[in-house]
Amino acid sequence: MCCSNSIERDKATMGKPKAFDISAVKGMKFFDPHVHMTSRTTDDYQAMADAGVVALIEPAFWLGQPRTGLDSFRDYYSSLIGWERFRSSQFGIKHYCTIGLNSREANNEALAEQVMEILPLFIYKEGVVGIGEIGFDDQTAAEEKYYRQQLELAKEAGLPVQVHTPHRDKKKGTQRSMDIALEHGLDPYQIIIDHNNEETVKEVLDRGFFAAFTIYPFTKMGNERMVEIVKQYGSERIMVNSAADWGISDPLAVPKTAALMKLKGISDAAIELVTYRNAITAFAQSGQIDEADFTAPKNIDQTEKFEGNTILRGGQQPRTDKSSIIIS
Amino acid sequence: MAISDGFGNINELLLNIIKDNLEDAAFEWLIKAGSANEIDKLGQSFVMLPRKTGKPALRISEVQKKQLEESGISYLTSWSIDRLSRVWLLGVQSFADTEKSHPVIENLFLSAEVNEAVALYSALPFLAKPETWVKRCAEGIRSNIGSVLEAIMENNPYPAKYLNEAAWNQLVLKAFFTEKDINKINGLDGRANEQLALTLSDYARERYAAGRQINPQLWRLVAPFINDQIFEAIKIGLTNQDKEEHNAIALAISASDYEPAKVYISQIPELSQLSK
């Protein structure tokens, strides 16, 4: 999620543009474990597929416009496991999601109570690989209350938890998120602490949690900094994501970061771990990820047929030539 | 006869197949989920079912295959175990307590992911009081998800038996639009009607105008209703280059009583034989 920025300041931090050369990571597969495709276009799906993204996780989050009723939440969760998953499949990308009540809207307690009641109906659905993204935003009492309740839900269902850490007062918020999770008896190996930076990563790893890094322009991590983190902390339990959403963000953040790591001399094995394997290891603890679904495209799941749809050929959307003035 | 009229026997057959396809623990879980005192948990059981059963394709013995054919539901041999188990679970709970299960099942439709939706629509002919699901079925036809549409349109005896004419026509038109396997629509010829024939011939004209091909099967549904208006569409169809479509049109004309079309086509040498 982004916030307001000074354009001049942003420009100053951008540095000199450097072309993204996909050939550096050609043939590699990527898994983006945090991206809000609901807020993105089909062009993004196409670009992600072209760049090697084979699977992704879409966490339930704040849509920008606060919801005023339960049905809006219900429809949003339904679209994550229904329509958006289908849309993604049209581009050959396997779509998973995490379901939860986000921290911001946890502050609307009357509504939050109702949302908590319908969550159990969604978390056991196919392809739901965790509870998320939950945690702290303003670090209010209400946020803590529903964070705790959802941790209990995750414990009962045996699901991983995707924890959003706050923009403001990040270090303390991150510590507090971990303390509370441990207090509820969860295994840190089942918890992915998201949006880390140089200040938080050491403690997260030392305490046995997974550490996710969001490569997001201006407000979160840049990928040059990310390369340094992998150099310093290695590749164990570290993963990168784009968290691309309705803000100025980049759905190609994962393949771009992989390409940059390659150029900066990080080993292929380490790149594979932080841009693909570790995310699968963490979220497959849900029992809902079958790697064959996205590594063997010819191995068609007989329970799902896409080629029957008029606009789909072999699970793919026909490509249009965007440079042509003719639309037919 | 609707499947649900003879659900007792079908239920036994389905359960027999399910048992052969499940580990003991999963089968016991399913039996418990289908028992009368578990109806309150129907929603959750339905949703988490694949976590218990897995999703492999069904293995079905020759004897069972024959029994399915006799019951008119041999199409489900291509299903996966979770789909069949879900259909069985909904059927059995719907008969156990129709009133109580109805809102639960309705809610499942509201929040269904794709495989759930496929199972839900596949279950329609297996539910008690199937006529109460007509609106839900019509709503399903508005889906844009291929496998959901297939579950409704292909190999499903429910729509032909229960949908009103408007909804049925919508189903057929959308099946052509989305390139479904028209041969798999149950009761297709039996429910041909004039309104549908007119709509389909309009659709054909739109396609011609856009320079697109049409599925020649369309003409099979138009045949009994050829009139002046449809004749115009036919004349355009005969000017395009698709031989297969010319043949389909000729066959349609041969099945109709519309004289001007018969005269017209008798003047086209390569089609005059077909239209007799």
Side-chain angles (χ1 to χ4, degrees), chain B residues 8 44 126 133 143 157 211 229 239 249 268:
Chain B
Q44 190 161 320
F126 297 87
W133 296 100
S143 170
Q229 189 186 334
T239 63
I249 290 175
I268 304 174

Side-chain angles (χ1 to χ4, degrees), chain B residues 254-274:
Chain B
S254 76
S256 91
D257 300 323
Y258 186 75
E259 230 13 78
K262 285 184 184 292
V263 173
Y264 187 84
I265 205 154
S266 68
Q267 293 156 1
I268 304 174
E270 62 270 29
L271 294 177
S272 58
Q273 283 308 310
L274 271 172

Side-chain angles (χ1 to χ4, degrees), chain A residues 15-312:
Chain A
K16 225 174 148 190
K18 195 171 174 180
F20 168 44
D21 183 4
I22 185 70
S23 65
V25 287
K26 191 115 192 113
M28 287 186 89
K29 296 186 299 282
F30 303 109
F31 189 114
D32 190 342
H34 186 149
V35 57
H36 299 288
M37 296 313 296
T38 299
S39 307
R40 311 296 309 189
T41 66
T42 46
D43 285 2
D44 289 337
Y45 269 125
Q46 192 82 68
M48 290 167 81
D50 288 348
V53 176
V54 292
L56 58 83
I57 296 172
E58 176 154 7
F61 84 141
W62 182 58
L63 281 171
Q65 179 69 43
R67 282 161 279 220
T68 59
L70 182 62
D71 287 348
S72 307
F73 272 98
R74 191 209 310 269
D75 294 343
Y76 173 62
Y77 296 144
S78 293
S79 82
L80 291 184
I81 46 107
W83 180 246
E84 201 55 47
R85 180 179 296 174
F86 174 70
R87 207 162 75 98
S88 183
S89 74
Q90 294 182 298
F91 300 89
I93 298 177
K94 181 76 185 171
H95 182 286
Y96 301 99
C97 66
T98 58
I99 295 282
L101 170 64
N102 67 82
S103 49
R104 217 178 261 249
E105 286 171 295
N107 289 303
N108 179 350
E109 283 195 65
L111 186 51
E113 280 302 318
Q114 301 173 49
V115 173
M116 289 306 300
E117 272 183 39
I118 64 165
L119 281 185
L121 206 61
F122 284 96
I123 61 169
Y124 292 105
K125 284 186 189 280
E126 282 184 67
V128 176
V129 297
I131 306 285
E133 52 182 308
I134 63 171
F136 287 113
D137 178 48
D138 261 0
Q139 307 192 41
T140 65
E143 288 170 20
E144 180 172 336
K145 176 178 164 192
Y146 295 107
Y147 176 52
R148 286 179 182 275
Q149 286 187 16
Q150 292 184 92
L151 289 173
E152 284 298 318
L153 201 57
K155 201 165 122 184
E156 195 188 321
L159 283 171
V161 183
Q162 194 167 22
V163 178
H164 166 89
T165 53
H167 300 264
R168 299 170 296 278
D169 201 9
K170 183 174 216 54
K171 195 164 180 183
K172 253 194 267 150
T174 305
Q175 285 169 339
R176 202 171 149 202
S177 302
M178 291 190 287
D179 292 343
I180 292 172
L182 296 177
E183 199 187 301
H184 282 263
L186 277 96
D187 178 358
Y189 195 71
Q190 287 236 330
I191 297 179
I192 299 88
I193 303 290
D194 213 340
H195 316 316
N196 278 281
N197 60 25
E198 292 86 346
E199 296 296 306
T200 58
V201 54
K202 186 169 187 309
E203 187 180 342
V204 170
L205 291 174
D206 285 348
R207 295 177 83 175
F209 293 82
F210 276 91
F213 291 82
T214 296
I215 310 301
Y216 195 113
F218 312 131
T219 61
K220 295 192 172 90
M221 285 290 291
N223 57 3
E224 290 175 298
R225 288 159 56 201
M226 190 66 223
V227 172
E228 295 309 312
I229 285 194
V230 172
K231 280 185 180 166
Q232 187 174 347
Y233 293 96
S235 52
E236 195 193 332
R237 277 181 290 119
I238 287 180
M239 66 185 83
V240 299
N241 61 56
S242 70
D245 57 8
W246 32 249
I248 299 170
S249 43
D250 192 339
L252 299 184
V254 175
K256 280 183 180 174
T257 303
L260 192 66
M261 285 178 177
K262 179 96 180 167
L263 295 176
K264 302 261 184 178
I266 301 216
S267 74
D268 283 5
I271 295 173
E272 200 222 357
L273 284 170
V274 300
T275 59
Y276 181 76
R277 177 68 50 201
N278 288 345
I280 297 172
T281 304
F283 288 99
Q285 296 181 84
S286 64
Q288 291 297 300
I289 295 182
D290 181 356
E291 212 181 328
D293 284 349
F294 46 88
T295 51
K298 278 172 195 153
N299 183 9
I300 292 166
D301 180 356
Q302 291 184 324
T303 62
E304 289 179 319
K305 288 183 201 146
F306 304 119
E307 62 268 46
N309 192 293
T310 173
I311 49 172
L312 305 176

Side-chain angles (χ1 to χ4, degrees), chain B residues 158-179:
Chain B
Y158 185 90
K161 185 162 168 64
Y162 294 102
L163 289 185
N164 63 31
E165 186 172 292
W168 172 259
N169 289 354
Q170 184 60 25
L171 180 149
V172 176
L173 186 64
K174 190 144 181 181
F176 276 104
F177 254 93
T178 56
E179 296 177 13

Side-chain angles (χ1 to χ4, degrees), chain B:
Chain B
M1 188 180 83
I3 294 167
S4 54
D5 297 339
F7 189 75
N9 295 332
I10 301 254
N11 180 18
E12 208 169 296
L13 173 56
L14 299 188
L15 203 53
N16 183 285
I17 294 170
I18 291 168
K19 191 170 198 301
D20 288 354
N21 281 273
L22 284 183
E23 303 283 333
D24 290 348
F27 185 69
E28 278 163 30
W29 176 86
L30 184 64
I31 293 295
K32 184 162 181 285
S35 62
N37 52 351
E38 292 285 303
I39 200 159
D40 289 332
K41 292 189 195 149
L42 175 58
Q44 190 161 320
S45 299
F46 175 86
V47 167
M48 71 191 305
L49 186 145
R51 296 188 183 214
K52 302 289 182 184
T53 63
K55 302 194 287 178
L58 285 174
R59 288 170 285 108
I60 293 180
S61 72
E62 287 306 316
V63 178
Q64 289 165 342
K65 231 172 242 176
K66 208 156 167 262
Q67 291 168 324
L68 287 171
E69 270 165 34
E70 283 162 8
S71 306
I73 49 173
S74 58
Y75 60 82
L76 57 78
T77 50
S78 65
W79 288 7
S80 54
I81 181 64
D82 56 316
R83 183 169 174 184
L84 181 62
S85 303
R86 276 174 159 164
V87 167
W88 174 83
L89 178 63
L90 293 175
V92 81
Q93 290 294 25
S94 147
F95 275 90
D97 191 335
T98 310
E99 207 172 307
K100 208 167 171 185
S101 62
H102 195 286
V104 179
I105 297 172
E106 182 64 36
N107 257 325
L108 286 172
F109 273 104
L110 292 181
S111 61
E113 54 88 31
V114 176
N115 291 330
E116 291 172 13
V118 166
L120 284 160
Y121 286 108
S122 303
L124 290 182
F126 297 87
L127 298 180
K129 293 202 182 160
E131 69 280 2
T132 58
W133 296 100
V134 165
K135 272 197 178 146
R136 174 48 56 193
C137 183
E139 181 61 33
I141 299 165
R142 297 192 183 101
S143 170
N144 263 3
I145 297 178
S147 49
V148 174
L149 287 176
E150 280 167 25
I152 301 169
M153 294 170 174
E154 298 182 358
N155 293 320
N156 191 336
Y158 185 90
K161 185 162 168 64
Y162 294 102
L163 289 185
N164 63 31
E165 186 172 292
W168 172 259
N169 289 354
Q170 184 60 25
L171 180 149
V172 176
L173 186 64
K174 190 144 181 181
F176 276 104
F177 254 93
T178 56
E179 296 177 13
K180 295 290 170 288
D181 188 345
I182 301 298
N183 288 319
K184 287 185 181 165
I185 302 180
N186 277 35
L188 183 65
D189 294 314
R191 289 209 58 178
N193 62 76
E194 187 178 16
Q195 193 51 51
L196 179 60
L198 290 170
T199 307
L200 287 175
S201 70
D202 278 352
Y203 164 67
R205 290 184 68 157
E206 280 175 42
R207 300 279 300 181
Y208 295 145
R212 299 185 169 120
Q213 285 189 312
I214 63 164
N215 181 341
Q217 293 251 35
L218 179 148
W219 295 108
R220 147 185 175 195
L221 298 175
V222 171
F225 307 97
I226 297 178
N227 61 13
D228 297 356
Q229 189 186 334
I230 294 171
F231 186 36
E232 291 306 311
I234 282 176
K235 283 191 268 191
I236 301 171
L238 289 172
T239 63
N240 73 16
Q241 298 302 312
D242 187 348
K243 286 280 169 282
E244 205 185 330
E245 192 177 348
H246 292 181
N247 294 343
I249 290 175
L251 287 173
I253 291 174
S254 76
S256 91
D257 300 323
Y258 186 75
E259 230 13 78
K262 285 184 184 292
V263 173
Y264 187 84
I265 205 154
S266 68
Q267 293 156 1
I268 304 174
E270 62 270 29
L271 294 177
S272 58
Q273 283 308 310
L274 271 172
S275 64
K276 292 235 169 87

